Amino acid sequence: MSALPPAIAPAFQYASDCYITQSIQMGMEGLHELGLSWPVAFVSAAVLLRVGTAPLHVYAEKLFAERLHAQNFLTRGILKKVSERYRVELGPSKDGSKLEVKTTDPKIAKVTQDALQEVPSMLAEHGLQAARIQNLKMCTVPIWIFSSFALRNVINSDFHPSVAGALWIPDMLAPDPYFVLPVAVGVFGFLNLYSQRKIYPGVIKTTMKQKSYDAVLAFFTMFAVTIMAQLPACIPLYWLMVSTTGMAQAQLLRHPKIKGIFGIKALPTDSTTPIRDLFKMRNV
């Protein structure tokens, strides 16, 4: 910690010593004591943490589906009332992506817009805020951060465990000599983003804001890959497992049978072949 800037050293110290980190570290050490090698123990810890945090993602997906259904129901109801009151036609937009009132009257258009602006508050009354859904997913991020510190504590501990490697990596405490694991982490990072674009309706948009976001994400992903290339190979191995299980979880929650088990309402993006769909150029 002494090499860290004074401004962030306390935060790193807390992350290394807090109860969550210590608990995860004890879990990793416990898996090793069961007879698992250190690499297998690290990978198993990633899988167990993914399973442990899965209920939050399942609940978020359930709320997301309910929000989308409720939003469509409320929007359709409002547009239908406006159509009946002002006796104007109700039909799909030119691109067929939404329902709209067919009118050029600015008064009717304003009434319609004002009425539709009440939809978010109606959704919020039933706990279907977009921020709540996003926060349910984001609240698992600290777990992964603390788990990284737990892994760091294990490999930097006083007894210096021997972490034998395999294949092209003889020692997991040394950096990956061919950068396979760090690059794989970056690839799965981009693949996870792409898979999310395929899951959520209306996300795939080539706006300048979206392009800027993608550029920033690409920069930080490449930066992370560069850093991981210099770290012990067991760290990118751990994060590779975190990324792959995360993508697997997201794709499983698109399958109708899996959604049925958890009581998640159907969406247009559901698929019985979610993995294969990732390689199809299909807008949602």
Side-chain angles (χ1 to χ4, degrees):
M1 296 294 178
S2 58
L4 294 173
I8 63 173
F12 271 69
Q13 187 64 50
Y14 171 78
S16 296
D17 298 337
C18 75
Y19 291 122
I20 299 176
T21 300
Q22 295 298 319
S23 298
I24 297 174
Q25 180 181 344
M26 289 176 61
M28 291 178 176
E29 293 171 348
L31 289 171
H32 177 63
E33 291 174 0
L34 290 175
L36 301 179
S37 65
W38 279 113
V40 176
F42 296 148
V43 168
S44 299
V47 174
L48 290 174
L49 284 173
R50 178 64 67 186
V51 173
T53 57
L56 289 170
H57 286 271
V58 171
Y59 187 44
E61 290 296 331
K62 188 173 184 178
L63 291 180
F64 175 78
E66 290 179 358
R67 174 186 169 86
L68 195 61
H69 279 267
Q71 184 174 349
N72 290 339
F73 175 79
L74 292 171
T75 300
R76 185 179 183 86
I78 289 172
L79 293 177
K80 186 176 180 180
K81 287 184 178 180
V82 172
S83 173
E84 292 174 350
R85 179 177 179 180
Y86 293 97
R87 297 182 180 180
V88 292
E89 182 185 356
L90 181 64
S93 59
K94 290 182 179 180
D95 59 3
S97 62
K98 61 181 180 179
L99 197 64
E100 65 180 10
V101 175
K102 303 292 185 179
T103 181
T104 56
D105 189 329
K107 179 182 177 181
I108 298 177
K110 185 177 186 306
V111 169
T112 304
Q113 189 63 31
D114 290 344
L116 291 176
Q117 288 180 354
E118 298 298 322
V119 171
S121 61
M122 295 178 186
L123 294 173
E125 290 177 1
H126 297 278
L128 299 177
Q129 307 95 315
R132 181 191 181 198
I133 297 171
Q134 185 63 27
N135 288 339
L136 277 171
K137 294 185 177 183
M138 293 302 295
C139 70
T140 62
V141 172
I143 297 296
W144 301 114
I145 294 175
F146 289 132
S147 70
S148 293
F149 279 92
L151 175 58
R152 177 181 175 276
N153 288 348
V154 170
I155 63 179
N156 288 338
S157 58
D158 293 336
F159 63 89
H160 296 293
S162 175
V163 184
L167 300 177
W168 70 94
I169 309 176
D171 182 5
M172 295 300 290
L173 291 181
D176 184 340
Y178 300 110
F179 312 113
V180 174
L181 293 177
V183 171
V185 172
V187 169
F188 270 92
F190 283 113
L191 194 57
N192 269 322
L193 173 64
Y194 176 69
S195 68
Q196 294 300 309
R197 301 283 182 85
K198 301 285 283 188
I199 292 173
Y200 296 110
V203 176
I204 304 177
K205 296 179 180 179
T206 55
T207 62
M208 183 57 65
K209 181 179 179 180
Q210 188 61 57
K211 289 181 179 179
S212 300
Y213 172 80
D214 290 346
V216 171
L217 182 64
F219 171 78
F220 279 105
T221 300
M222 296 303 297
F223 179 74
V225 169
T226 303
I227 295 298
M228 285 192 181
Q230 305 172 42
L231 297 176
C234 57
I235 294 179
L237 173 65
Y238 174 79
W239 276 102
L240 179 60
M241 182 55 58
V242 170
S243 297
T244 53
T245 54
M247 192 181 74
Q249 174 182 264
Q251 300 312 310
L252 282 173
L253 290 176
R254 288 184 62 200
H255 199 288
K257 290 185 178 180
I258 301 298
K259 297 185 78 169
I261 292 173
F262 294 110
I264 303 174
K265 293 182 178 179
L267 291 176
T269 50
D270 293 349
S271 172
T272 56
T273 57
I275 300 297
R276 188 180 67 182
D277 291 349
L278 290 177
F279 302 97
K280 293 182 178 180
M281 296 302 294
R282 176 176 62 86
N283 290 333
V284 293

